[in-house]
Amino acid sequence: MNKSAEDGGSFSSKVIRIVFIILLLDLLGFTLILPLLPSILDHYAQAGDVTYQSLQSVVDWFREAVGIPMEKKYNSVLFGGLIGSLFSLLQFLSSPVTGALSDRHGRRPLLILTTVGLMSSYAVWAVSRSFSMFLLFRVIGGICKGNVSLCTAIIADLPCPKARNKGMAMIGVAFSLGFTVGPLMGAYFAASSKTAGNVFYETPALLALAFSVADIFFIWLMLPETLPKVKAAPSHGGDSWDLLSPISLFQFSAVTKTKEPPSKDRMQKLQVLGLVYFCYLFLFSGLEFNLSFLTHQRFQFTSMQQGKMFFFIGVIMALIQGGYARRIKPGRHIRAVHMAIMMLIPAFILIGLSWNITMLYVGLALYSFAAAIVVPCLSTLVAEHGSANQKGTVMGILRSLGALARAFGPVVSSSVYWIAGAQTCFLITSATFVIPLVLLSKARRLKEE
Protein backbone atom coordinates (compact mmCIF):
# COMPACT_ATOMS: atom_id res chain seq x y z
CA MET A 1 0.00 0.00 0.00
CA ASN A 2 2.75 2.44 1.04
CA LYS A 3 4.89 1.38 -1.92
CA SER A 4 2.05 2.02 -4.40
CA ALA A 5 1.42 5.42 -2.77
CA GLU A 6 5.15 6.19 -3.09
CA ASP A 7 5.12 5.13 -6.75
CA GLY A 8 2.03 7.31 -7.33
CA GLY A 9 3.75 10.23 -5.62
CA SER A 10 6.95 9.91 -7.70
CA PHE A 11 4.87 9.56 -10.91
CA SER A 12 2.89 12.70 -10.01
CA SER A 13 6.09 14.66 -9.25
CA LYS A 14 7.57 13.56 -12.58
CA VAL A 15 4.42 14.60 -14.49
CA ILE A 16 4.34 18.01 -12.72
CA ARG A 17 7.99 18.67 -13.69
CA ILE A 18 7.35 17.67 -17.32
CA VAL A 19 4.16 19.77 -17.56
CA PHE A 20 6.02 22.76 -16.07
CA ILE A 21 8.72 22.56 -18.80
CA ILE A 22 6.16 21.98 -21.60
CA LEU A 23 4.13 25.00 -20.52
CA LEU A 24 7.19 27.21 -19.92
CA LEU A 25 8.48 26.51 -23.46
CA ASP A 26 4.99 27.20 -24.81
CA LEU A 27 4.60 30.48 -22.91
CA LEU A 28 8.10 31.75 -23.74
CA GLY A 29 7.20 31.41 -27.43
CA PHE A 30 3.77 32.96 -26.88
CA THR A 31 5.01 36.04 -24.96
CA LEU A 32 7.94 36.99 -27.25
CA ILE A 33 5.54 39.13 -29.30
CA LEU A 34 4.12 41.20 -26.41
CA PRO A 35 6.66 44.09 -26.38
CA LEU A 36 6.82 44.08 -30.21
CA LEU A 37 3.09 44.60 -30.86
CA PRO A 38 3.18 48.45 -30.93
CA SER A 39 6.17 48.38 -33.35
CA ILE A 40 4.47 45.74 -35.55
CA LEU A 41 1.33 47.92 -35.74
CA ASP A 42 3.44 50.99 -36.61
CA HIS A 43 5.25 48.94 -39.27
CA TYR A 44 2.00 48.05 -41.08
CA ALA A 45 0.50 51.53 -40.56
CA GLN A 46 3.51 53.13 -42.28
CA ALA A 47 3.34 50.55 -45.07
CA GLY A 48 -0.28 51.60 -45.75
CA ASP A 49 -1.50 47.98 -45.49
CA VAL A 50 -5.16 47.75 -46.65
CA THR A 51 -6.22 45.15 -44.02
CA TYR A 52 -4.59 47.23 -41.30
CA GLN A 53 -6.43 50.38 -42.42
CA SER A 54 -9.82 48.60 -42.37
CA LEU A 55 -9.23 47.38 -38.78
CA GLN A 56 -7.94 50.84 -37.82
CA SER A 57 -11.36 52.24 -38.76
CA VAL A 58 -12.96 49.89 -36.16
CA VAL A 59 -10.48 51.11 -33.52
CA ASP A 60 -11.18 54.76 -34.52
CA TRP A 61 -14.92 54.20 -34.16
CA PHE A 62 -14.52 52.77 -30.64
CA ARG A 63 -12.03 55.52 -29.66
CA GLU A 64 -14.44 58.27 -30.75
CA ALA A 65 -17.45 56.54 -29.15
CA VAL A 66 -15.88 56.53 -25.66
CA GLY A 67 -13.83 59.74 -26.00
CA ILE A 68 -10.27 58.37 -25.97
CA PRO A 69 -7.69 61.00 -27.03
CA MET A 70 -6.06 60.52 -30.43
CA GLU A 71 -2.59 59.56 -29.24
CA LYS A 72 -0.22 56.98 -30.75
CA LYS A 73 0.33 55.16 -27.42
CA TYR A 74 -3.42 54.76 -26.77
CA ASN A 75 -4.04 53.66 -30.36
CA SER A 76 -1.47 50.85 -29.95
CA VAL A 77 -3.08 49.70 -26.69
CA LEU A 78 -6.58 49.67 -28.28
CA PHE A 79 -5.42 47.92 -31.45
CA GLY A 80 -3.55 45.35 -29.35
CA GLY A 81 -6.72 44.90 -27.26
CA LEU A 82 -8.77 44.26 -30.43
CA ILE A 83 -6.33 41.56 -31.60
CA GLY A 84 -6.24 40.14 -28.04
CA SER A 85 -10.06 39.94 -27.94
CA LEU A 86 -10.08 38.09 -31.29
CA PHE A 87 -7.51 35.62 -29.90
CA SER A 88 -9.58 35.11 -26.70
CA LEU A 89 -12.81 34.53 -28.68
CA LEU A 90 -11.07 31.81 -30.72
CA GLN A 91 -9.83 30.30 -27.42
CA PHE A 92 -13.41 30.42 -26.11
CA LEU A 93 -14.57 28.34 -29.11
CA SER A 94 -11.65 25.88 -29.28
CA SER A 95 -10.82 25.08 -25.62
CA PRO A 96 -13.91 22.93 -24.77
CA VAL A 97 -13.60 21.00 -28.05
CA THR A 98 -9.88 20.34 -27.48
CA GLY A 99 -10.59 19.23 -23.90
CA ALA A 100 -13.41 16.87 -24.94
CA LEU A 101 -11.28 15.34 -27.73
CA SER A 102 -8.47 14.72 -25.21
CA ASP A 103 -10.96 12.80 -23.03
CA ARG A 104 -11.64 10.55 -26.00
CA HIS A 105 -8.22 10.22 -27.66
CA GLY A 106 -5.74 11.00 -24.85
CA ARG A 107 -3.80 14.05 -23.64
CA ARG A 108 -0.56 13.28 -25.49
CA PRO A 109 -1.98 13.13 -29.06
CA LEU A 110 -3.97 16.34 -28.59
CA LEU A 111 -1.03 18.16 -27.01
CA ILE A 112 1.20 17.15 -29.96
CA LEU A 113 -1.53 18.22 -32.41
CA THR A 114 -2.06 21.66 -30.83
CA THR A 115 1.71 22.23 -30.60
CA VAL A 116 2.10 21.37 -34.32
CA GLY A 117 -0.66 23.96 -34.96
CA LEU A 118 1.24 26.56 -32.90
CA MET A 119 4.44 25.68 -34.74
CA SER A 120 2.72 26.35 -38.08
CA SER A 121 1.38 29.68 -36.74
CA TYR A 122 4.92 30.83 -35.79
CA ALA A 123 6.17 29.76 -39.24
CA VAL A 124 3.46 31.97 -40.80
CA TRP A 125 4.58 34.86 -38.54
CA ALA A 126 8.24 34.41 -39.54
CA VAL A 127 7.45 34.70 -43.27
CA SER A 128 4.62 37.27 -42.94
CA ARG A 129 5.14 40.49 -44.89
CA SER A 130 1.52 41.75 -44.78
CA PHE A 131 -0.97 42.44 -41.99
CA SER A 132 -3.29 39.75 -43.42
CA MET A 133 -0.56 37.15 -42.87
CA PHE A 134 0.07 38.52 -39.38
CA LEU A 135 -3.67 38.13 -38.56
CA LEU A 136 -3.61 34.59 -39.99
CA PHE A 137 -0.78 33.80 -37.54
CA ARG A 138 -2.93 35.06 -34.63
CA VAL A 139 -6.03 33.16 -35.84
CA ILE A 140 -4.14 29.82 -36.19
CA GLY A 141 -2.56 30.46 -32.77
CA GLY A 142 -5.94 31.23 -31.18
CA ILE A 143 -7.50 28.02 -32.50
CA CYS A 144 -4.51 25.82 -31.58
CA LYS A 145 -3.62 27.35 -28.19
CA GLY A 146 -5.03 24.35 -26.31
CA ASN A 147 -1.82 23.63 -24.38
CA VAL A 148 -2.92 25.39 -21.18
CA SER A 149 -6.28 23.61 -20.82
CA LEU A 150 -4.64 20.28 -21.79
CA CYS A 151 -1.88 20.78 -19.20
CA THR A 152 -4.48 21.56 -16.51
CA ALA A 153 -6.35 18.38 -17.58
CA ILE A 154 -3.11 16.37 -17.19
CA ILE A 155 -2.70 17.76 -13.65
CA ALA A 156 -6.41 17.06 -12.97
CA ASP A 157 -5.73 13.40 -13.94
CA LEU A 158 -3.32 13.00 -10.99
CA PRO A 159 -4.79 10.81 -8.24
CA CYS A 160 -3.74 12.80 -5.15
CA PRO A 161 -5.39 16.16 -4.21
CA LYS A 162 -2.08 17.42 -2.79
CA ALA A 163 -0.31 16.66 -6.11
CA ARG A 164 -3.09 18.40 -8.08
CA ASN A 165 -2.74 21.51 -5.91
CA LYS A 166 1.04 21.55 -6.36
CA GLY A 167 0.63 20.98 -10.12
CA MET A 168 -1.84 23.87 -10.56
CA ALA A 169 0.48 26.17 -8.59
CA MET A 170 3.44 25.13 -10.79
CA ILE A 171 1.34 25.93 -13.87
CA GLY A 172 0.94 29.39 -12.30
CA VAL A 173 4.74 29.64 -11.82
CA ALA A 174 5.26 28.71 -15.50
CA PHE A 175 2.84 31.52 -16.46
CA SER A 176 4.61 34.07 -14.26
CA LEU A 177 8.07 33.13 -15.54
CA GLY A 178 6.90 32.98 -19.15
CA PHE A 179 5.25 36.41 -18.95
CA THR A 180 8.32 37.84 -17.16
CA VAL A 181 11.19 36.42 -19.26
CA GLY A 182 9.46 36.03 -22.67
CA PRO A 183 8.82 39.76 -23.34
CA LEU A 184 12.43 40.62 -22.33
CA MET A 185 13.74 38.03 -24.80
CA GLY A 186 11.37 39.33 -27.49
CA ALA A 187 12.63 42.92 -27.08
CA TYR A 188 16.29 41.81 -27.07
CA PHE A 189 16.07 39.59 -30.18
CA ALA A 190 14.00 42.20 -32.08
CA ALA A 191 16.84 44.68 -31.54
CA SER A 192 19.47 42.15 -32.68
CA SER A 193 17.33 41.23 -35.73
CA LYS A 194 17.15 44.89 -36.75
CA THR A 195 20.92 45.30 -36.27
CA ALA A 196 21.50 42.29 -38.58
CA GLY A 197 19.46 44.05 -41.28
CA ASN A 198 16.41 41.73 -41.10
CA VAL A 199 12.78 42.62 -40.42
CA PHE A 200 12.79 43.34 -36.66
CA TYR A 201 10.24 40.62 -35.79
CA GLU A 202 11.90 37.85 -37.84
CA THR A 203 14.34 36.59 -35.18
CA PRO A 204 11.69 36.56 -32.36
CA ALA A 205 9.33 34.67 -34.72
CA LEU A 206 12.03 32.08 -35.52
CA LEU A 207 12.83 31.78 -31.79
CA ALA A 208 9.12 31.17 -31.03
CA LEU A 209 9.17 28.49 -33.76
CA ALA A 210 12.27 26.92 -32.16
CA PHE A 211 10.54 26.86 -28.74
CA SER A 212 7.52 25.05 -30.21
CA VAL A 213 9.77 22.51 -32.04
CA ALA A 214 11.60 21.84 -28.74
CA ASP A 215 8.18 21.51 -27.05
CA ILE A 216 7.01 18.85 -29.52
CA PHE A 217 10.18 16.78 -29.02
CA PHE A 218 9.88 17.10 -25.24
CA ILE A 219 6.20 16.03 -25.27
CA TRP A 220 6.99 13.13 -27.63
CA LEU A 221 9.96 11.84 -25.63
CA MET A 222 9.05 12.62 -22.01
CA LEU A 223 5.30 12.99 -21.40
CA PRO A 224 3.46 9.83 -20.32
CA GLU A 225 -0.25 9.45 -21.11
CA THR A 226 -2.21 10.36 -17.95
CA LEU A 227 -5.76 9.69 -19.17
CA PRO A 228 -7.01 6.61 -17.26
CA LYS A 229 -7.23 3.50 -19.45
CA VAL A 230 -10.72 2.71 -18.12
CA LYS A 231 -12.71 4.87 -20.51
CA ALA A 232 -15.15 2.55 -22.19
CA ALA A 233 -17.72 5.28 -22.78
CA PRO A 234 -16.70 8.49 -24.51
CA SER A 235 -16.79 11.43 -22.11
CA HIS A 236 -19.12 13.50 -24.20
CA GLY A 237 -22.36 11.85 -25.17
CA GLY A 238 -24.27 15.05 -25.97
CA ASP A 239 -24.14 17.10 -29.13
CA SER A 240 -21.39 19.56 -29.99
CA TRP A 241 -23.71 22.46 -29.07
CA ASP A 242 -22.91 21.73 -25.39
CA LEU A 243 -19.29 22.66 -26.17
CA LEU A 244 -20.09 25.82 -28.15
CA SER A 245 -23.15 27.45 -26.58
CA PRO A 246 -22.24 30.02 -23.86
CA ILE A 247 -25.33 29.02 -21.80
CA SER A 248 -24.38 25.32 -21.96
CA LEU A 249 -20.77 26.16 -21.06
CA PHE A 250 -21.81 28.16 -17.96
CA GLN A 251 -23.99 25.19 -16.94
CA PHE A 252 -21.20 22.66 -17.74
CA SER A 253 -23.91 20.71 -19.62
CA ALA A 254 -21.36 18.46 -21.39
CA VAL A 255 -20.35 17.00 -18.00
CA THR A 256 -23.89 15.68 -17.37
CA LYS A 257 -24.08 13.81 -20.72
CA THR A 258 -22.70 10.54 -19.40
CA LYS A 259 -24.07 7.23 -18.06
CA GLU A 260 -23.32 8.26 -14.46
CA PRO A 261 -23.82 12.05 -14.28
CA PRO A 262 -22.61 13.94 -11.15
CA SER A 263 -25.12 14.67 -8.37
CA LYS A 264 -27.20 17.84 -8.50
CA ASP A 265 -25.22 19.37 -5.59
CA ARG A 266 -21.88 18.61 -7.26
CA MET A 267 -23.08 20.16 -10.53
CA GLN A 268 -24.39 23.23 -8.71
CA LYS A 269 -21.02 23.75 -7.01
CA LEU A 270 -19.17 23.32 -10.32
CA GLN A 271 -21.45 25.90 -11.99
CA VAL A 272 -20.91 28.38 -9.13
CA LEU A 273 -17.10 27.93 -9.34
CA GLY A 274 -17.26 28.49 -13.11
CA LEU A 275 -19.21 31.71 -12.53
CA VAL A 276 -16.68 32.88 -9.90
CA TYR A 277 -13.86 32.22 -12.40
CA PHE A 278 -15.66 34.17 -15.16
CA CYS A 279 -16.59 37.15 -12.93
CA TYR A 280 -13.10 37.36 -11.46
CA LEU A 281 -11.34 37.30 -14.85
CA PHE A 282 -13.87 39.68 -16.44
CA LEU A 283 -13.16 42.32 -13.75
CA PHE A 284 -9.45 41.54 -13.39
CA SER A 285 -8.58 41.52 -17.11
CA GLY A 286 -10.38 44.84 -17.58
CA LEU A 287 -8.35 46.62 -14.90
CA GLU A 288 -5.16 44.87 -16.03
CA PHE A 289 -5.77 46.28 -19.55
CA ASN A 290 -6.35 49.78 -18.14
CA LEU A 291 -3.00 49.75 -16.29
CA SER A 292 -1.30 50.75 -19.57
CA PHE A 293 -3.62 53.77 -19.89
CA LEU A 294 -3.35 54.83 -16.23
CA THR A 295 0.45 54.63 -15.92
CA HIS A 296 0.98 56.47 -19.23
CA GLN A 297 -1.65 59.13 -18.52
CA ARG A 298 -0.87 59.79 -14.85
CA PHE A 299 2.86 59.01 -14.55
CA GLN A 300 3.98 59.33 -18.22
CA PHE A 301 5.46 55.82 -18.14
CA THR A 302 7.58 54.91 -21.16
CA SER A 303 7.41 51.40 -22.69
CA MET A 304 10.57 50.51 -20.72
CA GLN A 305 8.99 51.66 -17.42
CA GLN A 306 5.86 49.63 -18.19
CA GLY A 307 8.10 46.65 -18.96
CA LYS A 308 9.75 47.05 -15.53
CA MET A 309 6.30 47.29 -13.90
CA PHE A 310 5.16 44.00 -15.47
CA PHE A 311 8.52 42.41 -14.56
CA PHE A 312 7.89 43.43 -10.90
CA ILE A 313 4.40 41.85 -11.06
CA GLY A 314 5.74 38.65 -12.66
CA VAL A 315 8.52 38.15 -10.10
CA ILE A 316 6.15 38.55 -7.11
CA MET A 317 3.62 36.17 -8.69
CA ALA A 318 6.28 33.52 -9.35
CA LEU A 319 7.55 33.76 -5.75
CA ILE A 320 4.03 33.48 -4.25
CA GLN A 321 3.04 30.58 -6.53
CA GLY A 322 6.30 28.70 -6.00
CA GLY A 323 6.21 29.30 -2.23
CA TYR A 324 2.77 29.81 -0.69
CA ALA A 325 0.21 28.73 -3.34
CA ARG A 326 1.56 25.22 -3.91
CA ARG A 327 1.53 24.53 -0.15
CA ILE A 328 -2.16 25.36 0.39
CA LYS A 329 -3.71 22.27 1.98
CA PRO A 330 -6.69 20.47 0.36
CA GLY A 331 -9.96 21.88 1.71
CA ARG A 332 -8.56 25.40 2.18
CA HIS A 333 -8.70 26.63 -1.40
CA ILE A 334 -12.02 28.49 -1.19
CA ARG A 335 -10.73 30.34 1.88
CA ALA A 336 -7.49 31.22 0.02
CA VAL A 337 -9.42 32.52 -3.03
CA HIS A 338 -11.72 34.54 -0.73
CA MET A 339 -8.70 36.15 0.98
CA ALA A 340 -7.01 36.90 -2.39
CA ILE A 341 -10.09 38.58 -3.90
CA MET A 342 -10.53 40.57 -0.67
CA MET A 343 -6.96 41.82 -1.16
CA LEU A 344 -7.73 42.91 -4.72
CA ILE A 345 -10.25 45.48 -3.47
CA PRO A 346 -7.68 47.66 -1.60
CA ALA A 347 -5.12 46.87 -4.36
CA PHE A 348 -7.23 48.43 -7.10
CA ILE A 349 -8.35 51.31 -4.83
CA LEU A 350 -4.67 52.16 -4.18
CA ILE A 351 -3.83 51.90 -7.91
CA GLY A 352 -6.87 53.97 -8.92
CA LEU A 353 -6.17 56.74 -6.37
CA SER A 354 -2.35 56.61 -6.59
CA TRP A 355 -0.75 60.05 -6.73
CA ASN A 356 2.86 58.82 -6.56
CA ILE A 357 4.92 55.82 -7.73
CA THR A 358 5.25 54.36 -4.19
CA MET A 359 1.47 54.19 -3.75
CA LEU A 360 1.11 52.63 -7.22
CA TYR A 361 3.69 49.93 -6.43
CA VAL A 362 2.13 49.11 -3.03
CA GLY A 363 -1.16 48.54 -4.89
CA LEU A 364 0.65 46.45 -7.54
CA ALA A 365 2.30 44.28 -4.84
CA LEU A 366 -1.14 43.45 -3.35
CA TYR A 367 -2.50 42.91 -6.89
CA SER A 368 0.36 40.48 -7.70
CA PHE A 369 -0.13 38.50 -4.48
CA ALA A 370 -3.86 38.07 -5.16
CA ALA A 371 -3.41 37.30 -8.87
CA ALA A 372 -0.92 34.54 -7.99
CA ILE A 373 -3.51 32.67 -5.91
CA VAL A 374 -6.97 32.94 -7.50
CA VAL A 375 -6.61 31.08 -10.83
CA PRO A 376 -4.43 28.15 -9.55
CA CYS A 377 -6.78 27.61 -6.56
CA LEU A 378 -9.97 27.80 -8.63
CA SER A 379 -8.41 25.40 -11.17
CA THR A 380 -7.62 22.97 -8.32
CA LEU A 381 -11.22 23.18 -7.04
CA VAL A 382 -12.71 22.62 -10.51
CA ALA A 383 -10.30 19.72 -11.20
CA GLU A 384 -12.07 17.75 -8.42
CA HIS A 385 -15.22 17.61 -10.56
CA GLY A 386 -16.19 15.21 -13.34
CA SER A 387 -15.29 11.54 -13.70
CA ALA A 388 -11.79 10.33 -14.60
CA ASN A 389 -12.61 10.46 -18.32
CA GLN A 390 -14.15 13.97 -18.17
CA LYS A 391 -11.25 16.06 -16.84
CA GLY A 392 -10.37 17.39 -20.30
CA THR A 393 -13.93 18.57 -20.89
CA VAL A 394 -14.20 20.17 -17.43
CA MET A 395 -10.87 22.02 -17.66
CA GLY A 396 -11.52 22.96 -21.30
CA ILE A 397 -14.85 24.56 -20.37
CA LEU A 398 -13.23 26.43 -17.47
CA ARG A 399 -10.51 27.75 -19.81
CA SER A 400 -13.22 28.73 -22.31
CA LEU A 401 -15.12 30.79 -19.68
CA GLY A 402 -11.85 32.55 -18.82
CA ALA A 403 -11.22 33.34 -22.50
CA LEU A 404 -14.75 34.78 -22.86
CA ALA A 405 -14.11 37.00 -19.81
CA ARG A 406 -10.78 38.16 -21.28
CA ALA A 407 -12.45 38.93 -24.63
CA PHE A 408 -15.05 41.32 -23.17
CA GLY A 409 -13.58 42.52 -19.84
CA PRO A 410 -11.10 44.98 -21.43
CA VAL A 411 -13.78 46.42 -23.78
CA VAL A 412 -16.21 47.17 -20.94
CA SER A 413 -13.55 48.38 -18.50
CA SER A 414 -11.78 50.70 -20.98
CA SER A 415 -15.17 52.20 -21.93
CA VAL A 416 -15.88 52.99 -18.24
CA TYR A 417 -12.30 54.30 -17.84
CA TRP A 418 -12.62 56.89 -20.61
CA ILE A 419 -16.27 57.82 -20.04
CA ALA A 420 -16.20 58.10 -16.21
CA GLY A 421 -12.46 58.60 -15.51
CA ALA A 422 -9.65 56.49 -14.06
CA GLN A 423 -10.55 56.87 -10.37
CA THR A 424 -14.24 56.09 -10.92
CA CYS A 425 -13.40 53.05 -13.08
CA PHE A 426 -11.00 51.53 -10.53
CA LEU A 427 -13.28 52.29 -7.55
CA ILE A 428 -16.43 50.89 -9.23
CA THR A 429 -14.62 47.71 -10.32
CA SER A 430 -13.09 47.29 -6.84
CA ALA A 431 -16.61 47.38 -5.37
CA THR A 432 -17.85 44.92 -8.01
CA PHE A 433 -15.42 42.25 -6.71
CA VAL A 434 -18.14 41.71 -4.07
CA ILE A 435 -19.99 39.61 -6.73
CA PRO A 436 -17.38 36.78 -6.91
CA LEU A 437 -17.05 37.00 -3.10
CA VAL A 438 -20.80 36.37 -2.66
CA LEU A 439 -20.65 33.49 -5.18
CA LEU A 440 -17.69 32.00 -3.27
CA SER A 441 -19.69 32.07 -0.04
CA LYS A 442 -22.41 30.13 -1.87
CA ALA A 443 -19.82 27.56 -3.05
CA ARG A 444 -18.55 27.20 0.53
CA ARG A 445 -22.11 26.58 1.82
CA LEU A 446 -22.69 23.94 -0.86
CA LYS A 447 -19.49 22.22 0.30
CA GLU A 448 -20.66 22.23 3.92
CA GLU A 449 -24.07 20.81 3.00
Side-chain angles (χ1 to χ4, degrees), residues 170-352:
M170 291 310 290
I171 285 176
V173 174
F175 259 89
S176 300
L177 288 176
F179 275 82
T180 303
V181 178
L184 294 174
M185 291 176 74
Y188 173 79
F189 283 103
S192 64
S193 185
K194 209 170 181 180
T195 309
N198 301 320
V199 182
F200 69 93
Y201 56 78
E202 192 174 290
T203 306
L206 290 171
L207 183 61
L209 180 61
F211 277 133
S212 60
V213 170
D215 219 3
I216 282 179
F217 278 112
F218 195 76
I219 294 163
W220 184 269
L221 295 170
M222 302 299 291
L223 182 70
E225 180 56 69
T226 58
L227 181 67
K229 288 192 172 80
V230 186
K231 57 178 183 74
S235 72
H236 183 58
D239 55 42
S240 56
W241 186 244
D242 289 330
L243 299 172
L244 296 172
S245 157
I247 295 169
S248 297
L249 290 170
F250 275 103
Q251 292 174 343
F252 285 82
S253 299
V255 182
T256 63
K257 304 295 172 68
T258 183
K259 284 181 179 177
E260 295 177 14
S263 69
K264 191 179 174 183
D265 286 347
R266 293 278 295 167
M267 278 308 299
Q268 200 177 349
K269 187 181 176 188
L270 178 59
Q271 289 159 4
V272 171
L273 289 171
L275 205 51
V276 171
Y277 189 78
F278 174 82
C279 290
Y280 163 76
L281 276 178
F282 181 85
L283 297 169
F284 182 86
S285 64
L287 291 188
E288 184 182 47
F289 183 70
N290 283 339
L291 271 178
S292 296
F293 291 133
L294 181 127
T295 52
H296 181 68
Q297 190 184 31
R298 193 176 291 174
F299 301 110
Q300 291 75 51
F301 269 24
T302 62
S303 296
M304 180 58 74
Q305 284 172 304
Q306 288 198 342
K308 287 176 182 174
M309 176 183 76
F310 286 112
F311 182 79
F312 171 79
I313 291 167
V315 168
I316 290 181
M317 285 181 67
L319 290 171
I320 299 301
Q321 285 160 336
Y324 168 67
R326 71 191 183 99
R327 290 185 173 87
I328 297 170
K329 291 177 181 174
R332 295 192 178 175
H333 292 97
I334 290 182
R335 192 183 304 170
V337 174
H338 195 278
M339 176 198 70
I341 295 177
M342 286 285 284
M343 285 179 71
L344 276 177
I345 296 172
F348 281 123
I349 289 171
L350 282 169
I351 293 167

Side-chain angles (χ1 to χ4, degrees), residues 12 67 120 130 185 200-201 240 294 296 369 400 405 441 449:
S12 293
S120 66
S130 70
M185 291 176 74
F200 69 93
Y201 56 78
S240 56
L294 181 127
H296 181 68
F369 182 84
S400 175
S441 299
E449 285 164 16

Side-chain angles (χ1 to χ4, degrees), residues 8 37-39 77 87 119 127 150 160 184 210 221 232 247 282 288 300 340 399 422 426-427:
L37 203 51
S39 303
V77 173
F87 190 89
M119 195 171 76
V127 300
L150 289 170
C160 170
L184 294 174
L221 295 170
I247 295 169
F282 181 85
E288 184 182 47
Q300 291 75 51
R399 179 78 182 159
F426 276 79
L427 291 174

Side-chain angles (χ1 to χ4, degrees), residues 20 40 58 71 91 155 172 187 252 324 378 380:
F20 174 78
I40 289 170
V58 177
E71 195 176 321
Q91 280 273 280
I155 297 300
F252 285 82
Y324 168 67
L378 284 175
T380 302

Side-chain angles (χ1 to χ4, degrees), residues 4 16 22 62 67 78 90 94-95 114 154 193 199 212 243 248-250 277-278 280 303 340 395 399 418-419 436:
S4 66
I16 290 166
I22 289 168
F62 179 73
L78 287 171
L90 291 167
S94 65
S95 292
T114 56
I154 289 167
S193 185
V199 182
S212 60
L243 299 172
S248 297
L249 290 170
F250 275 103
Y277 189 78
F278 174 82
Y280 163 76
S303 296
M395 301 315 291
R399 179 78 182 159
W418 289 105
I419 292 167

